[in-house]
Short mmCIF file of all heavy atoms in Angstrom, two decimals:
data_model
loop_
_atom_site.label_atom_id
_atom_site.label_comp_id
_atom_site.label_asym_id
_atom_site.label_seq_id
_atom_site.Cartn_x
_atom_site.Cartn_y
_atom_site.Cartn_z
N TRP O 27 16.16 -5.46 14.49
CA TRP O 27 16.14 -6.48 13.44
C TRP O 27 16.21 -7.86 14.06
O TRP O 27 17.17 -8.62 13.86
CB TRP O 27 17.32 -6.25 12.48
CG TRP O 27 17.13 -5.05 11.61
CD1 TRP O 27 17.70 -3.83 11.76
CD2 TRP O 27 16.23 -4.96 10.51
NE1 TRP O 27 17.24 -2.99 10.81
CE2 TRP O 27 16.33 -3.64 10.02
CE3 TRP O 27 15.36 -5.83 9.86
CZ2 TRP O 27 15.62 -3.19 8.91
CZ3 TRP O 27 14.64 -5.37 8.77
CH2 TRP O 27 14.77 -4.07 8.31
N LYS O 28 15.20 -8.20 14.84
CA LYS O 28 15.07 -9.51 15.47
C LYS O 28 13.72 -10.10 15.09
O LYS O 28 12.73 -9.38 15.03
CB LYS O 28 15.16 -9.41 16.99
CG LYS O 28 16.48 -8.90 17.50
CD LYS O 28 16.43 -8.79 19.01
CE LYS O 28 17.75 -8.24 19.56
NZ LYS O 28 17.70 -8.01 21.01
N TRP O 29 13.73 -11.41 14.86
CA TRP O 29 12.48 -12.06 14.45
C TRP O 29 11.38 -11.85 15.52
O TRP O 29 10.22 -11.60 15.19
CB TRP O 29 12.71 -13.54 14.18
CG TRP O 29 11.44 -14.23 13.86
CD1 TRP O 29 10.83 -15.19 14.62
CD2 TRP O 29 10.57 -13.99 12.73
NE1 TRP O 29 9.64 -15.57 14.02
CE2 TRP O 29 9.46 -14.82 12.86
CE3 TRP O 29 10.61 -13.11 11.64
CZ2 TRP O 29 8.43 -14.86 11.94
CZ3 TRP O 29 9.58 -13.15 10.75
CH2 TRP O 29 8.51 -14.01 10.86
N SER O 30 11.72 -11.98 16.78
CA SER O 30 10.71 -11.83 17.83
C SER O 30 10.09 -10.42 17.82
O SER O 30 8.90 -10.24 18.00
CB SER O 30 11.28 -12.15 19.21
OG SER O 30 12.35 -11.25 19.52
N TYR O 31 10.95 -9.39 17.59
CA TYR O 31 10.44 -8.04 17.49
C TYR O 31 9.53 -7.87 16.28
O TYR O 31 8.42 -7.32 16.40
CB TYR O 31 11.62 -7.06 17.41
CG TYR O 31 11.19 -5.63 17.20
CD1 TYR O 31 10.89 -4.82 18.30
CD2 TYR O 31 11.03 -5.08 15.94
CE1 TYR O 31 10.47 -3.53 18.15
CE2 TYR O 31 10.60 -3.77 15.77
CZ TYR O 31 10.33 -2.98 16.85
OH TYR O 31 9.90 -1.73 16.69
N ILE O 32 9.99 -8.36 15.14
CA ILE O 32 9.18 -8.23 13.90
C ILE O 32 7.86 -8.96 14.09
O ILE O 32 6.81 -8.43 13.69
CB ILE O 32 9.97 -8.73 12.70
CG1 ILE O 32 11.15 -7.76 12.43
CG2 ILE O 32 9.08 -8.86 11.48
CD1 ILE O 32 12.13 -8.23 11.40
N TRP O 33 7.86 -10.12 14.69
CA TRP O 33 6.64 -10.87 14.88
C TRP O 33 5.68 -10.12 15.83
O TRP O 33 4.54 -9.89 15.49
CB TRP O 33 6.91 -12.28 15.40
CG TRP O 33 5.66 -13.05 15.65
CD1 TRP O 33 5.06 -13.31 16.85
CD2 TRP O 33 4.79 -13.63 14.64
NE1 TRP O 33 3.90 -13.99 16.68
CE2 TRP O 33 3.71 -14.22 15.34
CE3 TRP O 33 4.85 -13.71 13.26
CZ2 TRP O 33 2.70 -14.87 14.68
CZ3 TRP O 33 3.81 -14.38 12.59
CH2 TRP O 33 2.76 -14.95 13.29
N HIS O 34 6.14 -9.75 17.01
CA HIS O 34 5.26 -9.18 18.01
C HIS O 34 4.90 -7.71 17.74
O HIS O 34 3.79 -7.30 17.98
CB HIS O 34 5.89 -9.31 19.41
CG HIS O 34 5.94 -10.71 19.91
ND1 HIS O 34 7.07 -11.47 19.83
CD2 HIS O 34 4.96 -11.49 20.42
CE1 HIS O 34 6.80 -12.66 20.32
NE2 HIS O 34 5.55 -12.73 20.67
N GLU O 35 5.87 -6.95 17.26
CA GLU O 35 5.62 -5.51 17.11
C GLU O 35 5.13 -5.10 15.71
O GLU O 35 4.47 -4.09 15.58
CB GLU O 35 6.90 -4.73 17.43
CG GLU O 35 7.43 -4.93 18.84
CD GLU O 35 6.45 -4.44 19.90
OE1 GLU O 35 5.62 -3.57 19.63
OE2 GLU O 35 6.51 -5.01 21.02
N VAL O 36 5.44 -5.91 14.71
CA VAL O 36 5.07 -5.54 13.34
C VAL O 36 3.91 -6.40 12.85
O VAL O 36 2.84 -5.89 12.50
CB VAL O 36 6.28 -5.62 12.40
CG1 VAL O 36 5.88 -5.29 10.98
CG2 VAL O 36 7.40 -4.69 12.87
N ILE O 37 4.12 -7.70 12.76
CA ILE O 37 3.12 -8.57 12.18
C ILE O 37 1.85 -8.62 13.00
O ILE O 37 0.75 -8.69 12.43
CB ILE O 37 3.74 -9.96 11.93
CG1 ILE O 37 4.85 -9.87 10.88
CG2 ILE O 37 2.66 -10.96 11.48
CD1 ILE O 37 5.65 -11.10 10.64
N LEU O 38 1.96 -8.58 14.30
CA LEU O 38 0.75 -8.66 15.14
C LEU O 38 0.18 -7.26 15.42
O LEU O 38 -0.78 -7.15 16.20
CB LEU O 38 1.08 -9.39 16.44
CG LEU O 38 1.47 -10.86 16.29
CD1 LEU O 38 1.75 -11.46 17.66
CD2 LEU O 38 0.36 -11.64 15.58
N ASN O 39 0.72 -6.23 14.81
CA ASN O 39 0.21 -4.87 14.97
C ASN O 39 -0.92 -4.62 13.99
O ASN O 39 -0.73 -4.58 12.78
CB ASN O 39 1.35 -3.90 14.76
CG ASN O 39 0.97 -2.46 15.06
OD1 ASN O 39 -0.13 -2.02 14.74
ND2 ASN O 39 1.90 -1.73 15.65
N ALA O 40 -2.14 -4.51 14.52
CA ALA O 40 -3.33 -4.38 13.65
C ALA O 40 -3.26 -3.15 12.76
O ALA O 40 -3.65 -3.21 11.57
CB ALA O 40 -4.58 -4.34 14.51
N TRP O 41 -2.76 -2.03 13.28
CA TRP O 41 -2.64 -0.82 12.44
C TRP O 41 -1.69 -1.06 11.29
O TRP O 41 -1.96 -0.61 10.15
CB TRP O 41 -2.19 0.38 13.29
CG TRP O 41 -3.25 0.97 14.16
CD1 TRP O 41 -3.28 1.01 15.50
CD2 TRP O 41 -4.46 1.63 13.72
NE1 TRP O 41 -4.41 1.61 15.95
CE2 TRP O 41 -5.15 2.02 14.86
CE3 TRP O 41 -5.00 1.90 12.46
CZ2 TRP O 41 -6.37 2.69 14.81
CZ3 TRP O 41 -6.21 2.57 12.39
CH2 TRP O 41 -6.88 2.96 13.58
N LEU O 42 -0.56 -1.70 11.55
CA LEU O 42 0.40 -1.95 10.48
C LEU O 42 -0.15 -2.89 9.44
O LEU O 42 0.07 -2.72 8.24
CB LEU O 42 1.73 -2.43 11.02
CG LEU O 42 2.50 -1.46 11.91
CD1 LEU O 42 3.82 -2.06 12.34
CD2 LEU O 42 2.73 -0.13 11.20
N MET O 43 -0.87 -3.89 9.84
CA MET O 43 -1.49 -4.83 8.89
C MET O 43 -2.55 -4.15 8.05
O MET O 43 -2.66 -4.39 6.86
CB MET O 43 -2.05 -6.06 9.64
CG MET O 43 -0.96 -6.96 10.15
SD MET O 43 0.17 -7.56 8.87
CE MET O 43 1.61 -6.53 9.16
N LEU O 44 -3.34 -3.27 8.68
CA LEU O 44 -4.31 -2.47 7.95
C LEU O 44 -3.60 -1.59 6.91
O LEU O 44 -4.04 -1.46 5.77
CB LEU O 44 -5.16 -1.61 8.89
CG LEU O 44 -6.18 -0.69 8.22
CD1 LEU O 44 -7.19 -1.48 7.42
CD2 LEU O 44 -6.86 0.19 9.27
N ALA O 45 -2.49 -1.01 7.32
CA ALA O 45 -1.70 -0.17 6.42
C ALA O 45 -1.23 -0.98 5.23
O ALA O 45 -1.36 -0.53 4.06
CB ALA O 45 -0.49 0.44 7.15
N VAL O 46 -0.71 -2.15 5.47
CA VAL O 46 -0.22 -3.02 4.37
C VAL O 46 -1.36 -3.34 3.42
O VAL O 46 -1.23 -3.24 2.19
CB VAL O 46 0.44 -4.29 4.94
CG1 VAL O 46 0.64 -5.33 3.84
CG2 VAL O 46 1.74 -3.97 5.63
N LEU O 47 -2.52 -3.73 3.95
CA LEU O 47 -3.65 -4.06 3.09
C LEU O 47 -4.15 -2.87 2.29
O LEU O 47 -4.41 -3.01 1.07
CB LEU O 47 -4.80 -4.63 3.94
CG LEU O 47 -4.54 -5.99 4.61
CD1 LEU O 47 -5.71 -6.34 5.55
CD2 LEU O 47 -4.37 -7.03 3.54
N LEU O 48 -4.22 -1.72 2.92
CA LEU O 48 -4.66 -0.52 2.19
C LEU O 48 -3.68 -0.14 1.10
O LEU O 48 -4.07 0.23 0.00
CB LEU O 48 -4.85 0.66 3.17
CG LEU O 48 -6.13 0.67 3.97
CD1 LEU O 48 -6.06 1.69 5.08
CD2 LEU O 48 -7.33 0.96 3.05
N LEU O 49 -2.39 -0.21 1.40
CA LEU O 49 -1.38 0.18 0.42
C LEU O 49 -1.31 -0.82 -0.75
O LEU O 49 -1.15 -0.41 -1.89
CB LEU O 49 -0.03 0.36 1.11
CG LEU O 49 0.01 1.56 2.10
CD1 LEU O 49 1.30 1.52 2.87
CD2 LEU O 49 -0.20 2.86 1.39
N ILE O 50 -1.48 -2.11 -0.47
CA ILE O 50 -1.54 -3.08 -1.55
C ILE O 50 -2.75 -2.85 -2.41
O ILE O 50 -2.70 -2.81 -3.64
CB ILE O 50 -1.52 -4.52 -1.00
CG1 ILE O 50 -0.11 -4.86 -0.46
CG2 ILE O 50 -1.94 -5.53 -2.07
CD1 ILE O 50 -0.05 -6.17 0.30
N ALA O 51 -3.93 -2.64 -1.75
CA ALA O 51 -5.16 -2.42 -2.52
C ALA O 51 -5.05 -1.14 -3.35
O ALA O 51 -5.49 -1.10 -4.51
CB ALA O 51 -6.34 -2.33 -1.56
N ALA O 52 -4.49 -0.07 -2.78
CA ALA O 52 -4.34 1.18 -3.51
C ALA O 52 -3.43 1.01 -4.72
O ALA O 52 -3.70 1.56 -5.79
CB ALA O 52 -3.79 2.26 -2.59
N ASN O 53 -2.37 0.20 -4.58
CA ASN O 53 -1.47 -0.02 -5.71
C ASN O 53 -2.09 -0.90 -6.79
O ASN O 53 -1.88 -0.68 -7.99
CB ASN O 53 -0.13 -0.57 -5.25
CG ASN O 53 0.73 0.54 -4.71
OD1 ASN O 53 1.17 1.41 -5.46
ND2 ASN O 53 0.97 0.57 -3.40
N LEU O 54 -2.88 -1.88 -6.42
CA LEU O 54 -3.58 -2.68 -7.40
C LEU O 54 -4.61 -1.82 -8.13
O LEU O 54 -4.77 -1.93 -9.37
CB LEU O 54 -4.28 -3.89 -6.73
CG LEU O 54 -3.37 -4.97 -6.22
CD1 LEU O 54 -4.13 -5.99 -5.40
CD2 LEU O 54 -2.61 -5.65 -7.37
N PHE O 55 -5.29 -0.97 -7.37
CA PHE O 55 -6.25 -0.05 -7.99
C PHE O 55 -5.53 0.92 -8.93
O PHE O 55 -6.01 1.25 -10.02
CB PHE O 55 -7.01 0.69 -6.88
CG PHE O 55 -8.20 1.49 -7.31
CD1 PHE O 55 -9.01 1.05 -8.32
CD2 PHE O 55 -8.54 2.66 -6.67
CE1 PHE O 55 -10.12 1.75 -8.74
CE2 PHE O 55 -9.64 3.39 -7.04
CZ PHE O 55 -10.43 2.93 -8.09
N TRP O 56 -4.36 1.39 -8.53
CA TRP O 56 -3.54 2.27 -9.37
C TRP O 56 -3.19 1.57 -10.67
O TRP O 56 -3.24 2.21 -11.75
CB TRP O 56 -2.31 2.71 -8.57
CG TRP O 56 -1.37 3.54 -9.40
CD1 TRP O 56 -0.10 3.18 -9.78
CD2 TRP O 56 -1.59 4.83 -9.95
NE1 TRP O 56 0.46 4.22 -10.52
CE2 TRP O 56 -0.43 5.23 -10.63
CE3 TRP O 56 -2.67 5.71 -9.91
CZ2 TRP O 56 -0.31 6.44 -11.31
CZ3 TRP O 56 -2.55 6.95 -10.56
CH2 TRP O 56 -1.40 7.28 -11.23
N MET O 57 -2.85 0.31 -10.62
CA MET O 57 -2.50 -0.40 -11.85
C MET O 57 -3.69 -0.48 -12.78
O MET O 57 -3.56 -0.29 -14.00
CB MET O 57 -2.01 -1.84 -11.50
CG MET O 57 -0.67 -1.84 -10.83
SD MET O 57 -0.16 -3.35 -10.00
CE MET O 57 -0.63 -4.61 -11.09
N TRP O 58 -4.89 -0.66 -12.25
CA TRP O 58 -6.10 -0.66 -13.06
C TRP O 58 -6.34 0.72 -13.66
O TRP O 58 -6.69 0.84 -14.85
CB TRP O 58 -7.29 -1.09 -12.20
CG TRP O 58 -8.57 -1.09 -12.95
CD1 TRP O 58 -9.02 -2.02 -13.84
CD2 TRP O 58 -9.58 -0.07 -12.90
NE1 TRP O 58 -10.25 -1.63 -14.33
CE2 TRP O 58 -10.60 -0.46 -13.78
CE3 TRP O 58 -9.71 1.14 -12.18
CZ2 TRP O 58 -11.76 0.30 -13.97
CZ3 TRP O 58 -10.84 1.91 -12.38
CH2 TRP O 58 -11.85 1.48 -13.26
N LEU O 59 -6.13 1.77 -12.86
CA LEU O 59 -6.30 3.14 -13.37
C LEU O 59 -5.30 3.46 -14.50
O LEU O 59 -5.66 4.11 -15.46
CB LEU O 59 -6.16 4.15 -12.24
CG LEU O 59 -7.29 4.17 -11.23
CD1 LEU O 59 -6.88 4.98 -9.97
CD2 LEU O 59 -8.55 4.77 -11.85
N LEU O 60 -4.08 2.98 -14.33
CA LEU O 60 -3.07 3.20 -15.37
C LEU O 60 -3.47 2.57 -16.70
O LEU O 60 -3.17 3.08 -17.75
CB LEU O 60 -1.70 2.63 -14.94
CG LEU O 60 -0.94 3.45 -13.91
CD1 LEU O 60 0.28 2.66 -13.43
CD2 LEU O 60 -0.53 4.79 -14.48
N ASP O 61 -4.13 1.46 -16.60
CA ASP O 61 -4.59 0.75 -17.81
C ASP O 61 -5.75 1.48 -18.48
O ASP O 61 -5.94 1.42 -19.68
CB ASP O 61 -4.98 -0.69 -17.47
CG ASP O 61 -5.32 -1.50 -18.68
OD1 ASP O 61 -4.52 -1.52 -19.65
OD2 ASP O 61 -6.41 -2.13 -18.68
N LYS O 62 -6.55 2.15 -17.67
CA LYS O 62 -7.80 2.73 -18.15
C LYS O 62 -7.70 4.18 -18.60
O LYS O 62 -8.41 4.59 -19.50
CB LYS O 62 -8.85 2.61 -17.02
CG LYS O 62 -10.26 3.00 -17.41
CD LYS O 62 -11.21 2.53 -16.32
CE LYS O 62 -12.63 3.00 -16.57
NZ LYS O 62 -13.27 2.40 -17.73
N TYR O 63 -6.83 4.98 -17.97
CA TYR O 63 -6.78 6.42 -18.24
C TYR O 63 -5.38 6.88 -18.68
O TYR O 63 -4.40 6.21 -18.35
CB TYR O 63 -7.17 7.21 -16.97
CG TYR O 63 -8.60 6.99 -16.57
CD1 TYR O 63 -8.89 6.15 -15.50
CD2 TYR O 63 -9.65 7.56 -17.26
CE1 TYR O 63 -10.23 5.91 -15.10
CE2 TYR O 63 -10.95 7.35 -16.89
CZ TYR O 63 -11.23 6.50 -15.84
OH TYR O 63 -12.53 6.29 -15.46
N PRO O 64 -5.30 8.03 -19.35
CA PRO O 64 -4.01 8.53 -19.77
C PRO O 64 -3.13 8.90 -18.53
O PRO O 64 -3.60 9.56 -17.62
CB PRO O 64 -4.33 9.81 -20.58
CG PRO O 64 -5.75 9.67 -20.95
CD PRO O 64 -6.41 8.84 -19.88
N PHE O 65 -1.89 8.47 -18.56
CA PHE O 65 -0.94 8.71 -17.48
C PHE O 65 -0.78 10.19 -17.24
O PHE O 65 -0.70 10.64 -16.07
CB PHE O 65 0.40 8.09 -17.85
CG PHE O 65 1.43 8.18 -16.77
CD1 PHE O 65 1.39 7.29 -15.69
CD2 PHE O 65 2.45 9.11 -16.85
CE1 PHE O 65 2.32 7.37 -14.69
CE2 PHE O 65 3.40 9.17 -15.85
CZ PHE O 65 3.36 8.32 -14.76
N SER O 66 -0.75 10.98 -18.31
CA SER O 66 -0.52 12.42 -18.17
C SER O 66 -1.68 13.13 -17.43
O SER O 66 -1.51 14.23 -16.94
CB SER O 66 -0.31 13.07 -19.55
OG SER O 66 -1.49 12.91 -20.34
N GLN O 67 -2.83 12.48 -17.34
CA GLN O 67 -3.95 13.07 -16.64
C GLN O 67 -4.07 12.52 -15.21
O GLN O 67 -4.36 13.27 -14.28
CB GLN O 67 -5.27 12.83 -17.39
CG GLN O 67 -5.37 13.64 -18.63
CD GLN O 67 -6.68 13.39 -19.37
OE1 GLN O 67 -7.39 12.45 -19.09
NE2 GLN O 67 -7.01 14.24 -20.33
N ILE O 68 -3.87 11.24 -15.04
CA ILE O 68 -4.11 10.69 -13.71
C ILE O 68 -2.91 10.85 -12.76
O ILE O 68 -3.12 11.05 -11.57
CB ILE O 68 -4.55 9.23 -13.73
CG1 ILE O 68 -3.50 8.31 -14.33
CG2 ILE O 68 -5.89 9.06 -14.40
CD1 ILE O 68 -3.80 6.80 -14.14
N TYR O 69 -1.69 10.79 -13.27
CA TYR O 69 -0.56 10.89 -12.36
C TYR O 69 -0.51 12.24 -11.61
O TYR O 69 -0.32 12.25 -10.40
CB TYR O 69 0.77 10.60 -13.05
CG TYR O 69 1.89 10.55 -12.04
CD1 TYR O 69 2.04 9.44 -11.23
CD2 TYR O 69 2.74 11.62 -11.87
CE1 TYR O 69 3.04 9.39 -10.29
CE2 TYR O 69 3.73 11.59 -10.92
CZ TYR O 69 3.89 10.46 -10.14
OH TYR O 69 4.86 10.42 -9.17
N PRO O 70 -0.72 13.36 -12.28
CA PRO O 70 -0.71 14.61 -11.54
C PRO O 70 -1.79 14.69 -10.46
O PRO O 70 -1.65 15.38 -9.46
CB PRO O 70 -0.93 15.67 -12.61
CG PRO O 70 -0.43 15.03 -13.86
CD PRO O 70 -0.78 13.58 -13.73
N LEU O 71 -2.89 13.97 -10.64
CA LEU O 71 -3.96 13.98 -9.64
C LEU O 71 -3.56 13.27 -8.35
O LEU O 71 -4.21 13.45 -7.32
CB LEU O 71 -5.24 13.37 -10.22
CG LEU O 71 -5.89 14.20 -11.35
CD1 LEU O 71 -7.10 13.44 -11.90
CD2 LEU O 71 -6.28 15.58 -10.88
N THR O 72 -2.48 12.49 -8.38
CA THR O 72 -2.02 11.88 -7.14
C THR O 72 -1.52 12.93 -6.18
O THR O 72 -1.39 12.65 -4.98
CB THR O 72 -0.88 10.86 -7.41
OG1 THR O 72 0.26 11.52 -7.98
CG2 THR O 72 -1.36 9.73 -8.31
N SER O 73 -1.28 14.15 -6.67
CA SER O 73 -0.83 15.21 -5.74
C SER O 73 -1.95 15.59 -4.77
O SER O 73 -1.71 16.29 -3.79
CB SER O 73 -0.38 16.42 -6.54
OG SER O 73 -1.44 16.94 -7.31
N LEU O 74 -3.15 15.12 -5.01
CA LEU O 74 -4.24 15.31 -4.05
C LEU O 74 -3.88 14.65 -2.70
O LEU O 74 -4.40 15.04 -1.66
CB LEU O 74 -5.57 14.76 -4.55
CG LEU O 74 -6.18 15.55 -5.70
CD1 LEU O 74 -7.34 14.79 -6.32
CD2 LEU O 74 -6.62 16.93 -5.22
#
């Protein structure tokens, strides 16, 4: 839990930044899906 560690090992880690972008995009997409489809149908499909 040091700023230098977080900066060098986390923020500058390309894989972790890709992960953050993908997870944010997936959650924004999920919000759109929740608005468009019945929850009882789409939520169980997340088990894929």
